[in-house]
Amino acid sequence: MGNINLNTTSVEVRDHRIGTIISYHGSASQLVEESRGKSVREPKRTFTQCSDCSQGCAETLTYMIRGAAVVIHSPLGCCNPAVQYVAGQAGTQVRNLPPQKVQAISTNISIKETVYGGVAKLRTAVLEAYKRFSPSAIFVQSSCAAGIIGDDIESVADELEPELNIPIIPIYCEGFKSKTWASGFDAVFHGVLRKIVKEPKTKDKDLVNVFNFQGCDAFTPFFEKLGLKPNLVVPLSTVEMLARMSEAVCSTHICETLGTYVSEALEKKYGVVQVKAPSPYGIDWTDQWVRALCEATGRKEAGEKLIAAEHERIKEPLKKLREKLSGKKAYIFAGHSYAHNLANIARDLGMEVIGVTTLHHDQITDSDSEELNTLDKLVKSGGDIKNFSVCNRQPYIMVKLLKKIKPDVLLTRHNNIAVVGTKVGIASIRATDANVIALYDGVINLGNRILEGLSSQKFYDNVAAHVKLPYTQWWLQNEDPFLFETR
Ligand code: SF4
């Protein structure tokens, strides 16, 4: 199965498996070319202001699986259920689902366990999670401390699984193992594939796995137009929905970073076809995605009719948005392929994409398909992007990049990035819910958000006038945002 081996307890981290990098500056076309064969020479950053860890991405997926519990085998400071709780509650509301609690316990590894081992404490915590929550599955997340002392999480899971009669799924997401926090997504999917997904009892020719986050449900109404049903996984799904992933006819996702590893594994192991097209962001990519989806589900004619009808339906609002946004300059700062998605929509709206920064870059994907290489698609469909960089947040770099390039609007996904844009006086749009800006309506939705942001420019000017940035004059006046990167 290529890079995928479900017989091992943990998945190889992205850094090695698909050549993920976190530093680069140059052009998009150069990055595409150097990425073929994983030959990008990644600059070393000699100063780092902040970072994040794989466990955060693992939490994003596991905390909001309905009916499941999570045991975090770590010191207390490693887990942060509150953030996911807030995001998850918003998700349940927009999907009309009943409110849901995060069911999590930390083993609170202390100095004593780091010396004598923490397996006994882990066993107690798993039993406590079972008693308190009556869950349908328990995820056990590792951490740096658990990994360094070498606690045998697998044995605890194997020992307790028959006793509790539910899946107990070890997730190996130790922060030190990968410089890319997105490795936490792969760690969760690897655990789900090993321990939850079942051999298909039957095949459902209308069921499509859609790998997404806890956003609104834009997919069910769209799929109904084609007689399809989405299996929306992973956050807010149930353990039963995860077990049924093998019964779907095909899989698709809202970004390659999230969905390619699991989709590839489902295709290789259970014959669940991976939809080979960029995610449905922007008119042209949505057309390609609908065609690939309809080919995989045997609905080619219905797909062509739907494309024509959707183009007609959004023709007028799209025209108006293009008139207002044409020539406006956009800068994109977001996670790997989601940044490509945002850039493609911005171009669709007639905007000039004057720069993109992605939080990491995967040189290849887990699939062999060129159709999933969205950076290549972006360059081929809309031309090169001269100012293209890869940077794992780092506000000290962002401030300089934005001040230097001066876009009209900053498109982001993450809260802390939008704040940096706001502080330097740029209309900053936070497109957090990826589902809101997906499909044909998504282009209109993002266009309207951008117009709102531009109409508030006075607010951004005021914020910038009153904010004191925590950087020295030397750094702010220095021309080069990448001064601390060396090859
Ligand atoms: S797992 Fe490691 S990197 Fe992640 S929060 Fe804990 S100590 Fe930090």
Side-chain angles (χ1 to χ4, degrees), residues 405-449:
I405 206 164
K406 295 191 181 70
D408 297 306
V409 65
L410 171 69
L411 300 181
T412 76
R413 180 179 211 175
H414 301 84
N415 187 19
N416 46 5
I417 295 173
V419 167
V420 175
T422 303
K423 283 180 179 174
V424 293
I426 295 163
S428 301
I429 312 300
R430 201 182 146 215
T432 310
D433 184 342
N435 296 356
V436 167
I437 65 161
L439 305 165
Y440 297 101
D441 282 334
V443 179
I444 307 300
N445 292 341
L446 185 63
N448 285 328
R449 290 279 313 280

Side-chain angles (χ1 to χ4, degrees), residues 322-334:
R322 282 175 174 162
E323 280 165 10
K324 288 178 184 157
L325 293 173
S326 175
K328 296 283 182 202
K329 293 181 171 54
Y331 196 97
I332 321 288
F333 209 126

Side-chain angles (χ1 to χ4, degrees), residues 4 19 21 47 120 170 174 232 263 277 286 291 296 306 323 363-364 407 431 452 474:
I4 293 163
I21 58 165
F47 171 68
E174 300 87 350
L232 291 168
S263 301
T286 305
R291 288 195 175 104
L306 181 61
E323 280 165 10
Q363 294 186 61
I364 58 171
E452 269 174 35
W474 168 77

Side-chain angles (χ1 to χ4, degrees), residues 53-55 74 77-78 142-145 173-176:
C53 111
S54 309
Q55 202 182 80
S74 69
C78 293
S142 187
S143 64
C144 291
C173 51
E174 300 87 350
F176 68 78

